[in-house]
Amino acid sequence: MMIKRVGVIGAGQMGQGITQVLACADIAVTLVDLSQDQLDTALATTEASIAKLKERGKLAAEVNPLPNISVTTEMGQVADCELVIEAVTEDEMTKRRIFSSLNEICSSDAILASNTSSISIGRLAAIIDHPERMIGVHFMNPVPLMPLIEVIEAKATAQKTVAAVTELSERLGKTAVVVKDRPAFVLNRILLPTINEAIRVVEEGTATAEQVDQIMTLGAGFPMGPLALADMIGLDTCLSILDLMFVELKDPRYLPAPMLREMVIDQQLGRKSGVGFYRYDQ
Ligand code: NAD
């Protein structure tokens, strides 16, 4: 199956990036969010990102993806899509409501995918009819630049669903690595404990955020410090992933650092709120 029409639910940083790479591959995308303001911001971000990629020679000047994108606040508009990718806030109840609606809206052979960082694809599959069409497609941030898609197959996921998503990944110029459905899958299972430990080091006063990041970039060869990366991911998303890992893996090493929870309560979410471990111009 060759996917040509895709719906993306959630126009935050991931939904915007996913929409952009799909549109650049000449795929028609319908992007859905709760407010027109959020959709306008996503379109403006897409336009700016495409201009920057062209300026740096990473995208051919003649590529014009914007006409491939339509935006709407009506989820019903994804009814004719062959694949719908959910990229809303990392909250299981919100995602459950979305898949329950998509089950009613979409055709019974449409592939339904989640970009979740940690939530069980099997539990989401249990909500829909024909769970063999449910799959995890975990894009990396920033989507236009990162070459990996971590594909998660639940017990019920059909091989033809995996094959369709893998073929799409190739068309997007990305490498799909297919893994099993376990809490936080592979990337975040390994990455989030590192971020959590970096926060604990700052919390206990051993080093500042800048020093932690300097040590891990200059000393461990990380391309970006763990705290700058946490700011980019979003501290709310980091907290949700750690909370889920702690509950589901029952291991104290995943217990979120209290400082992380306090920062999220204070709406210090990283880049998206303008302040996290660092400050950002909006
Ligand atoms: P975000 O906070 O930037 O965006 C979430 C968007 O979802 C917002 O625009 C919000 O308005 C929208 N939304 C919420 N409820 C909705 C609903 N009912 N209908 C339509 N839209 C709704 O979050 P993000 O960083 O883009 O993360 C989205 C998903 O991608 C999460 O599951 C996250 O775990 C995952 N993810 C994030 C990263 C990362 O680095 N941030 C990387 C990989 C995967």
Side-chain angles (χ1 to χ4, degrees):
M1 174 188 182
M2 174 112 161
I3 296 162
K4 296 196 189 84
R5 283 188 311 278
V6 179
V8 177
I9 315 294
Q13 54 179 343
M14 294 307 291
Q16 179 275 321
I18 294 166
T19 298
Q20 180 177 326
V21 296
L22 289 165
C24 285
D26 222 13
I27 292 163
V29 193
T30 304
L31 176 62
V32 185
D33 206 299
L34 296 171
S35 77
Q36 190 59 43
D37 272 2
Q38 186 62 33
L39 292 165
D40 291 344
T41 303
L43 278 180
T45 307
T46 304
E47 215 169 333
S49 167
I50 286 166
K52 205 182 264 181
L53 289 173
K54 285 186 178 177
E55 214 176 278
R56 292 181 183 169
K58 291 190 172 170
L59 192 65
E62 62 274 16
V63 177
N64 184 17
L66 291 174
N68 293 332
I69 303 172
S70 55
V71 299
T72 177
T73 54
E74 299 294 325
M75 199 146 67
Q77 297 292 316
V78 301
D80 66 345
C81 291
E82 295 145 332
L83 163 69
V84 181
I85 302 173
E86 166 279 311
V88 305
T89 319
E90 186 75 348
D91 171 67
E92 187 159 342
M93 286 318 293
T94 308
K95 290 184 190 289
R96 281 173 173 270
R97 279 196 294 274
I98 302 269
F99 283 109
S100 168
S101 303
L102 290 174
N103 191 44
E104 303 300 320
I105 292 166
C106 299
S107 102
S108 61
D109 59 358
I111 296 175
L112 301 184
S114 176
N115 185 52
T116 176
S117 300
S118 57
I119 296 165
S120 161
I121 301 300
R123 281 204 300 272
L124 297 176
I127 296 166
I128 62 165
D129 302 323
H130 306 291
E132 67 278 3
R133 63 201 171 112
M134 173 69 82
I135 192 160
V137 286
H138 184 212
F139 285 82
M140 305 293 136
N141 186 12
V143 184
L145 301 182
M146 298 298 279
L148 175 73
I149 302 179
E150 191 180 26
V151 173
I152 299 102
E153 55 175 359
K155 286 204 178 87
T157 308
Q159 282 315 301
K160 69 173 185 187
T161 306
V162 177
V165 164
T166 305
E167 188 278 329
L168 176 67
S169 308
E170 279 167 22
R171 263 189 288 148
L172 301 182
K174 312 251 182 232
T175 301
V177 178
V178 184
V179 300
K180 301 288 179 211
D181 186 22
R182 294 276 296 143
F185 322 122
V186 175
L187 185 117
N188 285 318
R189 171 87 178 262
I190 296 169
L191 177 64
L192 262 294
T194 304
I195 289 175
N196 201 31
E197 204 56 36
I199 299 171
R200 286 184 187 281
V201 168
V202 174
E203 189 176 53
E204 70 197 20
T206 307
T208 63
E210 289 82 357
Q211 288 173 320
V212 168
D213 281 353
Q214 201 177 17
I215 286 168
M216 296 310 287
T217 48
L218 298 181
F222 280 31
M224 184 181 207
L227 297 172
L229 180 56
D231 273 0
M232 192 169 88
I233 294 169
L235 300 190
D236 52 341
T237 302
C238 291
L239 179 62
S240 299
I241 299 169
L242 281 163
D243 271 338
L244 180 139
M245 288 169 80
F246 179 63
V247 169
E248 296 197 3
L249 296 167
K250 298 183 179 57
D251 188 327
R253 75 192 140 139
Y254 303 123
L255 183 66
M259 184 181 186
L260 174 61
R261 198 176 299 284
E262 280 160 26
M263 289 175 80
V264 172
I265 290 168
D266 292 344
Q267 286 299 297
Q268 295 177 13
L269 306 181
R271 280 176 190 262
K272 64 180 158 188
S273 71
V275 58
F277 290 99
Y278 299 90
R279 291 195 163 272
Y280 304 88
D281 292 333
Q282 281 297 307

